[in-house]
Amino acid sequence: MPQEHKSITATRDERYDAQRIEQKWAERWQSDPSLYAAEPNSTKPKYYVLEMLPYPSGALHMGHVRNYSIGDALARYMWMNGYNVLHPMGWDSFGLPAENAAIKNNTPPKEWTLSNIAAMKVQMNRLGFAYDWSREVTTCLPEYYRWNQWFFLKLYEQGLAYRKKSKVNWCPKCCTVLANEQVVGGNCWRHEDTPVEQRELEQWFLRTTKYADELLRGLETLPGWPDKVRIMQQNWIGRSEGTLVDFDLGGTVGPAGSTITVFTTRVDTIYGATSVQLAPEHPIVSDMIARDAGLRTKVEELIAEQRRAKEAGDIGEIEKHGVFTGRYAKNPYNGEAVPVWVANYILMDYGTGAIMSVPAHDERDYEFAKKYKLEIRLVILPASSDPEETVAEPQLPFTTMDGILVNSGEFSGLSCEEAIEKMSALAEEKKFGKATVTFRLKDWGISRQRYWGTPIPMVYCEKDGVVPVAEKDLPVILPEKVTVTLAGGSPLQGVPEFLNTTCPKCGGPARRETDTMDTFVDSSWYFYRYADARNDKAPFDTKTIAYWFPIDQYIGGVEHAILHLIYSRFWTKFMRDMGLVNNDEPAQRLFTQGMVIKDGAKMSKNLGNVVSPDEMVARYGADAARLYSLFAAPPDRDLDWQDTGIEGIQRFLGRVYRFFVRNANPDHPEWRKPVPAELSSEARAIQRKLHQTIKRVSDDFQGRWHFNTCIAAIMELLNEVYGAEEAIASGRVPVSLIAEVQRGIVLLLAPMAPYLAHELWEMIGERGNLLKAPWPKYDAALAAEDEIEIPVQINGKLRSKVVVPAAATEDQVKQSALADEKVKAAIAGKQVVKNVYVPKKLLNIVVR
RNA sequence: GCCGGGAUGGCGGAAUUGGCAGACGCGCUGGUCUUAGGAGCCAGUGCCCAAAAGGCGUGCAGGUUCAAGUCCUGUUCCCGGCACCA
């Protein structure tokens, strides 16, 4: 036996040299920039596959390799299936790290960024990703960011961009404000150990809340998005239906008026309201403390407590404190005057910053009332199926909606749901309130007190106030000679030639806005620019967008589930309303790949478990690195990187290579002949496995995207032909079949290991472009088994297996089973109660 | 607290619809070729038992079913998101 396999022993010539092969093809591919270009006027169906663009930090990490390997496999697969594929790449190249590098190394941010881009582009090309670089987008260049400014002007015209003074999140490390979405558990999203401070600043906001409802409803039109992401966005938008109710204070307190409007989702419990609770920062509280020094001290304490809790990220666990203001407010439903309190658990930025407190039917109010000995009044009793039955007093607080109103005047006896409807209607009728909808989603604060970003195209004129820059004067160029520091305000304030300008309206002296835009503005629409990347008249041409959009498949990390993906959806809706695009949503399908981890933890410099893509490519080759990142786990799950795992993949690629070296014979007269219908059983087994493999790989590409099982299937096929090597060597397998198998392997491997696939394609004498070679089709008849093995269970336990022809009937299977020695022994002396036969799957004999 | 996701050999993972648990790969063991093997090739490898026969096995406890990793009830732990949201 060992002798027979002598020929499989590797010789020097058969060695798989990834570096040699990959260098050769990388050169060829780069010499033809049109290779991966999308066709402008194509009759083919379009397919837009997009991976999230990287921040040019200087080097790709394994998460990028994984993300882009998935996208590239899909793009290549779609090319092979005859689609006109758009597969672009770009650089999310504004942002703080460039400024930090500038401070540290005294390198201008632009220089640092562009050299990083150049380096990462080399990495991407070395990995063999098939991008249409003619559409490359670099967000930090004026050709791109001028359109950010243009969009800003459009938003401003429509009242969707506005300036307001408000409490904002401030990261002391970034020295800039952050959007709500960029605050993670009270900390900065980039500095996970840095608590965000609250500062009062005048800032530019985009009115994302205008689309709150549509952003929420739109999620239902996105079945191609992961449930997880949709649920996260749903929670983030936080729609809540409720009622606004005015409580009259009886006499004006100050500029904020004499009415406290509360928001409640449970107006049905209002007869149980025994106090009104105000957020410490409520304007009416400001009025009250203006005339009451004692109250002021206490309220300031509450504000401080609230601020501390917010900054520590545990506002949810704040110990409830409050203070009675000495005032009373009238409940418009029953005319009762209830005490007005200020409490540290009431948030100014949700609802109206004021609530009615119903201790009997709300956990928080209950806790507060217990502490301050406020009245607890039961107004809802649990619903009983039997109206005659006297209901026991429920355990307090009783918060479910499953109840009946009591002690609630004319509304007593109604169910909670009925009551909410009728009571809201009454409020509206009597003009002391109305049904309303509140959202958790806030407007997007986009001002950043940083240098390396898009200048906001506004000027401040002493005479005309806030004036937008004229469209024709765009772009407002970001100056390059700037001293970047991380102290006090935007570095642009220190650049007089930028700062000082003239008013677009009156021509008089004016000052430019020195804040720059959040970099999430850049990434909110970059994928539209790809479709028409060199347009200098408009951000893009609407007709071109209509052809390419929506994106067919977007692929990226789940960490963007809220931030980038909600802003992008907002931007699409605003552009649609402008008439710039026709689609309601940017991407039809979204795929979020799992993280790459090592030794059970996220890769990080601190842990020293970082795997470098460059090192992997140098040691194992790009194909191995790509294939392993597809093989080690299904793409939606986290991937545990194992160095021995990639070695296994490299071994597999070597086995493939050697099989081809030994058996490729394109000059053989039979190489291109059809495979004969009559085959030896050995040859037939290979043919069957080939067709089964084509089916399995195709199914996975179409459906679940479990590339790990695709690759496993190809490995099985290879193992099959290795097992038949002796039959091949001695001519019992027709050359035409070997040719078919080799063509099949190359085609199946082409999307995932393009370098080796191209090399082998050439080796087997193919001259056509593999990138667009048709994806192989399987023949169901050839994939079908002639004989199948049927497991035989006795009472549900596996006892034997019988081999029967694939077409065997139930009776035939039973007969062979009953003839089987093991089965006979197992049922000897017992009575067969019944047989369960699952065609082609299993036979279970139930005995007693 | 609420909302997702997960738990399968020594490891990564497979089992797409309730039908042979552990495909494929890693690791390990043995063999072979070799001056050598850290290359290649072949074989074995869930656990228990000396082996066979057999038994046990998909976080845990129950249940449904001829049949459960898969369905139902309860429960533990891990990961992610949200969190006095009124």
Side-chain angles (χ1 to χ4, degrees), chain A residues 156 459-468 502-510:
Chain A
Y156 182 73
V459 302
Y460 300 96
C461 168
E462 267 179 41
K463 194 166 132 254
D464 296 310
V466 182
V467 184
T502 51
C503 171
K505 223 178 200 172
C506 70

XYZ file of all heavy atoms in Angstrom, chain A residues 156 459-468 502-510:
143
model
N -29.717 73.226 6.057
C -29.977 74.506 6.722
C -31.171 75.205 6.071
O -32.067 75.690 6.762
C -28.726 75.375 6.639
C -28.857 76.704 7.339
C -28.854 76.768 8.731
C -28.986 77.884 6.610
C -28.980 77.990 9.380
C -29.113 79.115 7.254
C -29.117 79.163 8.640
O -29.236 80.370 9.284
N -20.954 81.558 8.421
C -20.179 82.669 8.954
C -21.057 83.483 9.906
O -22.290 83.418 9.830
C -19.602 83.594 7.846
C -18.727 82.813 6.886
C -20.717 84.306 7.121
N -20.389 84.195 10.777
C -21.092 85.033 11.744
C -20.754 86.478 11.436
O -19.586 86.863 11.415
C -20.663 84.665 13.162
C -20.970 83.220 13.466
C -19.998 82.237 13.326
C -22.248 82.825 13.859
C -20.289 80.897 13.562
C -22.551 81.499 14.104
C -21.563 80.536 13.959
O -21.870 79.229 14.178
N -21.810 87.242 11.126
C -21.637 88.641 10.765
C -22.271 89.470 11.873
O -23.346 89.138 12.377
C -22.345 88.907 9.432
S -22.506 90.643 9.008
N -21.603 90.532 12.239
C -22.138 91.356 13.322
C -23.490 91.935 12.943
O -24.372 92.084 13.765
C -21.160 92.488 13.648
C -20.199 92.102 14.755
C -19.224 93.211 15.053
O -19.632 94.392 15.081
O -18.033 92.879 15.227
N -23.615 92.231 11.663
C -24.837 92.863 11.199
C -25.925 91.826 10.874
O -27.064 91.957 11.312
C -24.521 93.688 9.934
C -25.622 94.650 9.557
C -25.130 95.668 8.538
C -26.095 95.796 7.385
N -25.656 95.181 6.147
N -25.548 90.790 10.119
C -26.561 89.847 9.628
C -26.677 88.563 10.447
O -27.483 87.688 10.116
C -26.250 89.481 8.171
C -26.354 90.690 7.265
O -27.383 91.382 7.341
O -25.397 90.946 6.517
N -25.845 88.456 11.443
C -25.944 87.266 12.288
C -25.351 86.038 11.606
O -24.316 86.113 10.964
N -26.080 84.897 11.753
C -25.598 83.633 11.201
C -25.950 83.564 9.721
O -27.122 83.643 9.360
C -26.243 82.445 11.941
C -25.709 81.133 11.403
C -26.012 82.564 13.440
N -24.946 83.478 8.867
C -25.194 83.488 7.423
C -24.507 82.290 6.774
O -23.330 82.034 7.038
C -24.642 84.791 6.788
C -24.998 84.847 5.310
C -25.160 86.012 7.532
N -25.230 81.578 5.912
C -24.586 80.452 5.225
C -23.638 80.932 4.131
O -23.886 81.957 3.503
C -25.763 79.694 4.610
C -26.888 80.656 4.557
C -26.667 81.676 5.631
N -15.550 87.612 4.875
C -16.560 88.653 4.682
C -17.932 88.022 4.681
O -18.095 86.850 4.335
C -16.355 89.389 3.342
O -16.251 88.406 2.314
C -15.092 90.231 3.370
N -18.904 88.811 5.035
C -20.278 88.308 5.110
C -20.825 88.114 3.696
O -20.764 89.032 2.878
C -21.145 89.297 5.877
S -22.902 88.887 5.787
N -21.345 86.939 3.394
C -21.892 86.675 2.059
C -23.070 87.594 1.745
O -23.391 87.803 0.577
C -22.350 85.218 2.129
C -21.681 84.640 3.329
C -21.433 85.764 4.276
N -23.674 88.133 2.761
C -24.863 88.949 2.556
C -24.494 90.417 2.360
O -24.816 91.010 1.343
C -25.772 88.815 3.785
C -27.244 88.657 3.451
C -28.017 88.483 4.755
C -29.365 87.840 4.523
N -29.999 87.504 5.833
N -23.778 90.991 3.341
C -23.507 92.423 3.309
C -22.085 92.765 2.889
O -21.769 93.935 2.657
C -23.803 93.045 4.679
S -22.632 92.561 5.960
N -21.216 91.757 2.812
C -19.850 92.024 2.394
C -18.991 92.598 3.499
O -17.793 92.814 3.309
N -19.587 92.838 4.640
C -18.831 93.370 5.773
C -17.980 92.305 6.424
O -18.033 91.137 6.046
N -17.177 92.685 7.413
C -16.311 91.706 8.080
C -17.145 90.666 8.830
O -18.186 90.992 9.408
C -15.483 92.566 9.044
C -16.286 93.806 9.240
C -17.061 94.018 7.968
N -16.655 89.452 8.764
C -17.371 88.373 9.440
C -16.363 87.317 9.875
O -15.206 87.337 9.465
C -18.427 87.767 8.514
